[in-house]
Amino acid sequence: MSKLVLNNGMILLDGELRKRNLLIEDKSIIGISETPYQDGDIIDCKGQWILPGAIDPHVHFRTPGGEHKEDWKTGSKAAVAGGITTVLDMPNTNPPTTTSERLNEKRKIAETNSLCNFGFYFGASINNLDEIETIDNIAAIKIYFGSTTGNLLVNDSHYLTDLIKKTRFPLAFHAENEALMKKNLSKVKDLNKAGARIHGVIRDEEVARSAVEEIIALASDHNVKIYLCHVSTQREFELIEKAKQSMDIYCEVTPHHLFLNEELLDRIGHFGKVNPPLRKEVDRKFLYNALIDGRIDTIGTDHAPHLKEEKMQEYLKAPSGLPGLETMLPLLLTEVHHGNLSIERLAQLTGGNVARIFSLKNKGSLAPGYDADIVVVNPDTSYSLTSERLYTKVGWNPFEGQILYGEIDQTIVLGQLAYKRGRFFNVHGEEVEYDTRT
Ligand code: NCD
Ligand code: ZN
């Protein structure tokens, strides 16, 4: 069995960075010790931080049907270059992942092509309850309560109540109120003269708030785990926080809603178009403070790549979505560098909490018995984010030009080096397993 040793690094243990040495055998961490290990392939990590590889609970790898935007090779390269060792992929592909046959096809493609580990969401459609009852080994059922990229939309309350009663899996929601969105859209006189900020008027905060309210009302009397994707406003957040007192409910926030606001649209137009939209500074600030205070459960990139030429089209044609795999961890490490965010909280948000909410087996922590999914960081290195550091097929990122602190030096997936300083290695991630769920 192959042994890999990371000696002399600062390892995140029990919420603190401690000088320790780490021993990996095959795919697992088997030891952490105060004295350096001598046996195996030794990597000296002096001056570096050794953190659990990040788990991204929300990516769109576009396969099948959108491979011109991203595929499992390019998407997983962007992931490991960004220190992400596991991704959970969304079902709004073309065709959507709404049958077990399609899920199995996706599995095969990921097994062959992905450098990082992966798991899948299964899409709810209006007629696949039978499939949902027989499906296995998925992260959650995704419900598009409001429409977005793709054609999955399920907002019939009777159907959803039935689903809530029957599911064994967590339910993840895209929470926007479809009817209200349509009403707001119909009020706009000339969309093409309206400017890019119109997206936030059509999908305003009430669109999000009322959807979250409705979802909570539907689920509150049932024994079900609810995961709200990309929460973007204070009002949604407060509803979820209140519901936590009596429900098993969690909130995900994206890096773009934490670090960008609607003003960006004046500069980059529909490149900044995303669902839910970039919000006003007061909402961004509120979410940022909630992040610092530890009130947010997870960070999901919602990595939703679209080509530059697609984004350059007029409002209705320009698709919604932003790429984000390469920048999530660096943006958070930058907050740690500035003394705003603790490294412990960073690790909870990008690993520990995700593993717990989705019951991911042996993920999200550095301890003997856990999978050897690891990121090695140069904490003091700063750099400007340029397109040369991007591996997503679309080649752009809303944070380009930003100065970031804490460079991803190496990423290890299941005990094998997947990425090191701009180079990729021929490794294969595996599908995640789930601890028993009741
Ligand atoms: C996502 C996409 O393009 O797949 N777009 C987006 O604006 N976030 C879909 C989604 O998560 O809404
Ligand atoms: Zn998404």
Side-chain angles (χ1 to χ4, degrees):
M1 280 213 196
S2 63
K3 279 189 181 166
L4 181 66
V5 168
L6 304 183
N7 274 344
N8 303 316
M10 298 298 289
I11 302 188
L12 187 75
L13 280 183
D14 304 324
E16 273 178 50
L17 290 167
R18 296 169 205 247
K19 190 155 185 282
R20 291 284 191 281
N21 308 284
L22 187 137
L23 177 63
I24 298 164
E25 191 174 83
D26 201 15
K27 297 174 185 174
S28 307
I29 298 168
I30 61 160
I32 293 176
S33 118
E34 292 191 25
T35 43
Y37 293 99
Q38 309 294 347
D39 188 19
D41 291 338
I42 298 176
I43 303 179
D44 185 31
C45 299
K46 189 158 183 278
Q48 297 183 308
W49 290 355
I50 297 177
L51 309 175
I55 307 171
D56 186 347
H58 190 151
V59 307
H60 300 267
F61 277 6
R62 304 292 189 217
T63 309
E67 292 88 342
H68 59 293
K69 299 173 196 260
E70 200 75 283
D71 59 43
W72 278 89
K73 273 245 143 60
T74 52
S76 66
K77 275 186 166 182
V80 294
I84 294 166
T85 49
T86 300
V87 298
L88 302 180
D89 183 54
M90 286 293 172
N92 63 332
T93 42
N94 186 13
T97 318
T98 48
T99 68
S100 51
E101 202 181 325
R102 288 180 192 162
L103 177 64
N104 288 335
E105 280 164 21
K106 227 183 203 187
R107 277 197 167 115
K108 276 194 216 133
I109 294 167
E111 273 161 20
T112 321
N113 295 293
S114 184
L115 273 70
C116 63
N117 304 309
F118 48 86
F120 301 101
Y121 288 83
F122 193 73
S125 73
I126 44 165
N127 52 17
N128 72 344
L129 217 65
D130 293 351
E131 292 269 354
I132 287 174
E133 285 184 80
T134 58
I135 206 86
D136 215 353
N137 220 58
I138 56 158
I141 311 279
K142 179 72 186 278
I143 296 157
Y144 289 91
F145 195 71
S147 56
T148 182
T149 309
N151 61 2
L152 286 171
L153 177 68
V154 180
N155 57 5
D156 177 272
S157 57
H158 296 293
Y159 186 80
L160 284 175
T161 307
D162 218 14
L163 176 55
I164 287 168
K165 279 188 193 152
K166 286 184 178 155
T167 183
R168 294 167 289 136
F169 300 109
L171 299 181
F173 280 89
H174 179 111
E176 289 190 286
N177 179 325
E178 190 65 15
L180 200 50
M181 260 192 273
K182 288 219 173 93
K183 193 167 150 214
N184 290 343
L185 179 63
S186 71
K187 286 193 218 152
V188 185
K189 293 219 170 64
D190 188 342
L191 270 172
N192 290 324
K193 286 208 182 114
R197 285 203 202 192
I198 196 67
H199 195 54
V201 176
I202 295 165
R203 294 179 182 248
D204 65 10
E205 68 163 355
E206 183 55 18
V207 164
R209 192 208 63 79
S210 56
V212 168
E213 185 176 61
E214 228 175 293
I215 291 160
I216 290 174
L218 282 171
S220 63
D221 290 338
H222 302 277
N223 181 20
V224 61
K225 186 178 279 188
I226 302 290
Y227 183 80
L228 270 311
C229 298
H230 40 51
V231 170
S232 60
T233 61
Q234 174 172 357
R235 293 175 75 197
E236 286 166 276
F237 184 88
E238 286 174 348
L239 282 175
I240 297 163
E241 203 160 62
K242 184 155 173 261
K244 272 178 186 283
Q245 292 165 11
S246 56
M247 287 173 70
D248 200 10
I249 186 166
Y250 301 93
C251 87
E252 170 195 276
V253 177
T254 69
H256 45 274
H257 292 116
L258 285 167
F259 297 112
L260 302 172
N261 67 25
E262 62 176 4
E263 289 161 30
L264 182 74
L265 294 161
D266 302 341
R267 208 154 44 79
I268 68 170
H270 303 319
F271 277 84
K273 184 182 178 195
V274 61
N275 302 333
L278 297 178
R279 300 296 188 185
K280 300 198 183 323
E281 175 59 11
V282 282
D283 277 310
R284 187 206 69 78
K285 198 80 206 260
F286 176 87
L287 293 177
Y288 178 84
N289 288 333
L291 169 89
I292 302 302
D293 297 344
R295 293 156 72 195
I296 286 171
D297 295 307
T298 67
I299 309 243
T301 60
D302 190 9
H303 178 78
H306 296 287
L307 298 183
K308 286 181 186 171
E309 46 273 38
E310 295 169 331
K311 292 295 257 181
M312 280 185 311
Q313 300 171 100
E314 66 192 51
Y315 177 72
L316 282 179
K317 288 192 184 146
S320 296
L322 309 174
L325 284 167
E326 295 99 336
T327 37
M328 175 201 21
L329 201 54
L331 285 163
L332 295 174
L333 286 168
T334 302
E335 292 302 315
V336 175
H337 173 85
H338 291 312
N340 300 330
L341 182 70
S342 74
I343 192 77
E344 178 182 21
R345 196 144 280 161
L346 175 147
Q348 284 164 354
L349 285 161
T350 61
N353 290 356
V354 188
R356 184 171 46 84
I357 293 167
F358 292 96
S359 313
L360 306 180
K361 199 170 179 179
N362 298 335
K363 299 278 185 216
S365 186
L366 297 180
Y370 277 76
D371 289 345
D373 295 332
I374 294 168
V375 56
V376 180
V377 171
N378 295 321
D380 301 321
T381 306
S382 68
Y383 59 98
S384 159
L385 183 76
T386 58
S387 56
E388 290 88 75
R389 288 182 182 263
L390 300 174
Y391 300 95
T392 168
K393 208 174 257 189
V394 298
W396 67 276
N397 181 292
F399 294 97
E400 266 170 79
Q402 199 135 322
I403 303 294
L404 299 166
Y405 292 83
E407 190 182 38
I408 310 299
D409 186 61
Q410 304 174 40
T411 306
I412 293 165
V413 175
L414 293 172
Q416 289 196 291
L417 196 56
Y419 170 83
K420 183 170 182 168
R421 291 173 217 150
R423 285 181 59 207
F424 296 90
F425 300 86
N426 188 19
V427 303
H428 290 281
E430 290 181 8
E431 185 168 1
V432 292
E433 288 176 31
Y434 303 89
D435 286 319
T436 326
R437 290 177 286 205
T438 47

